[in-house]
Amino acid sequence: MRQAVLLTPGSIQIREIPMPADLKPNEILLRIHNIGVCGSDIHVFHGKHPFVTKYPVIQGHEYSGEVVNIGSQVKTVKPGMKATARPQVVCGKCPPCLRGQYNICQNLTVQGFVANGSAQDYFVVTEDRIVAVPREVSFEQAALIEPAAVGGHATKRAGDLKGKNVVVAGSGTIGNLIAQFALNRGAKKVLVSTAKSDFRLDIARQCGITETANLSKETFPDAVKRVFGDEGFQVGIEAAGAQGAVTDLIAGIENGGTVVIVGVFEENPVVNMGFLGEHELTVLGSMMYRHEDYEEAVRFIADGRLKTAPLITSRFPFENYLDAYHFIEQQGDRSLKVMIELTQN
Ligand SMILES: [Zn+2]
Ligand SMILES: [Zn+2]
């Protein structure tokens, strides 16, 4: 079977490897159909992901597949079903794991970054991480469950959003899905901002996020004033991984507000701690998701509460994996989710 391997930053090869060996009782063999390319994959491709220092890397953490075989004790899925799986490999023994916070396992490895990911025709996952996907959800949509679950988790971390004004800094797939979740969770108004081009803001509007701001055309305070008037905003979610976004959210949020950090930062940002203290801001992290976030993302995609079609802007066959990355580099923020296709679906 084929496998895409990122040998060193900037170099991807397709190679032949043997099929996975016999399944253990709790394992499932998936035939991979779609893999979404993620901003953090690009960080790894550039050798600039803060937590990935060892190469080669087998990427692929946003994926969908068909169950082709199951171990003797697997009950969640049967051959022929659509499925996706969480890429988190956790220890189950550390204090966060024992509290149920396995998404922040102290020994966490993530497939596609430090552990091997799904960039190959067939991939083995364990039953604790598998999530069945209903038939009406396409393989492409199923590959968006991973970023959707990030959005679901981040908006839960933000606390009760009902009646609150929310700013999401960052208009990529994650920012878009966070904003869609915030609207679904009862936020009064949600503003998506970007420091880049209008392309992704157009997609946000196609997804029902009506309030958008291009900070190359207006200042952040002006945009906040235009959208929220005197009400301001009470929750900020950082999904850009950018110093400017952190600075804007902390400087602009209502006193006592909550800022959730989701973005991956290539450089360690500076935070005005004195200002944060004096305004009693809460700044908290959000790390990936837990199983229930995946299950919720499946439901929200299946019933149309999350709009996914506008997010997918290009598709590349598996053989052209490297071309997909070059395309993303050239297009910059004039593309959004790029899908790798392993099958004809
Ligand atoms: Zn991702
Ligand atoms: Zn653990």
Side-chain angles (χ1 to χ4, degrees), residues 104-250:
I104 47 169
C105 169
Q106 301 198 141
N107 303 300
L108 176 72
T109 54
V110 181
Q111 293 181 319
F113 296 89
V114 176
N116 283 0
S118 66
Q120 53 193 44
D121 285 310
Y122 294 88
F123 190 57
V124 174
V125 299
T126 52
E127 188 175 21
D128 58 316
R129 297 187 285 112
I130 196 115
V131 178
V133 174
R135 199 160 289 280
E136 67 267 23
V137 173
S138 71
F139 282 114
E140 276 194 342
Q141 285 180 303
L144 289 167
I145 290 165
E146 196 272 354
V150 172
H153 190 73
T155 46
K156 278 190 209 159
R157 292 284 294 153
D160 186 3
L161 296 179
K162 284 198 191 70
K164 290 183 181 164
N165 290 331
V166 177
V167 174
V168 180
S171 57
T173 305
I174 298 286
N176 181 303
L177 289 163
I178 288 171
Q180 291 196 57
F181 260 108
L183 288 166
N184 274 297
R185 298 204 196 285
K188 187 174 178 190
K189 279 187 176 176
V190 177
L191 167 66
V192 168
S193 67
T194 181
K196 298 178 183 169
S197 82
D198 286 330
F199 180 89
R200 292 176 172 185
L201 298 181
D202 289 337
I203 292 174
R205 289 188 291 270
Q206 289 169 42
C207 293
I209 306 152
T210 53
E211 305 297 347
T212 60
N214 185 336
L215 302 181
S216 70
K217 296 179 180 168
E218 66 181 330
T219 67
F220 184 75
D222 284 350
V224 167
K225 187 84 180 162
R226 171 173 61 77
V227 173
F228 304 123
D230 293 333
E231 288 180 8
F233 66 101
Q234 294 74 47
V235 174
I237 305 183
E238 206 290 339
Q243 173 72 63
V246 173
T247 303
D248 280 344
L249 289 175
I250 286 179

Side-chain angles (χ1 to χ4, degrees), residues 36-41 60-62 87 113 143 146-147 150 173-174 288-289 337:
V37 180
C38 172
S40 46
D41 292 326
H61 63 281
E62 307 178 0
F113 296 89
E146 196 272 354
V150 172
T173 305
I174 298 286
M288 301 182 85
Y289 31 67
K337 182 57 70 186

Side-chain angles (χ1 to χ4, degrees), residues 11 33 45 49-50 62 68 93 104 172 177 187 249 285-286 292 332:
S11 156
H33 279 247
F45 181 68
H49 194 290
E62 307 178 0
V68 291
K93 298 186 181 109
I104 47 169
L177 289 163
L249 289 175
S286 183
E292 58 268 30

Side-chain angles (χ1 to χ4, degrees), residues 8 27 29 37 55 58 83 92 116 118 165-166 179 221 247 249 254 268-270 276 284 298 306 310 312 340 342:
T8 55
E27 287 180 340
L29 182 65
V37 180
Y55 292 77
I58 312 299
N116 283 0
S118 66
N165 290 331
V166 177
T247 303
L249 289 175
E254 184 177 289
N268 191 10
V270 174
L276 191 158
L284 49 83
V298 172
L306 294 178
I312 301 167
I340 304 288
L342 287 91

Side-chain angles (χ1 to χ4, degrees), residues 272-281:
N272 187 339
M273 285 295 177
F275 187 91
L276 191 158
E278 287 196 357
H279 294 82
E280 282 202 355
L281 303 184

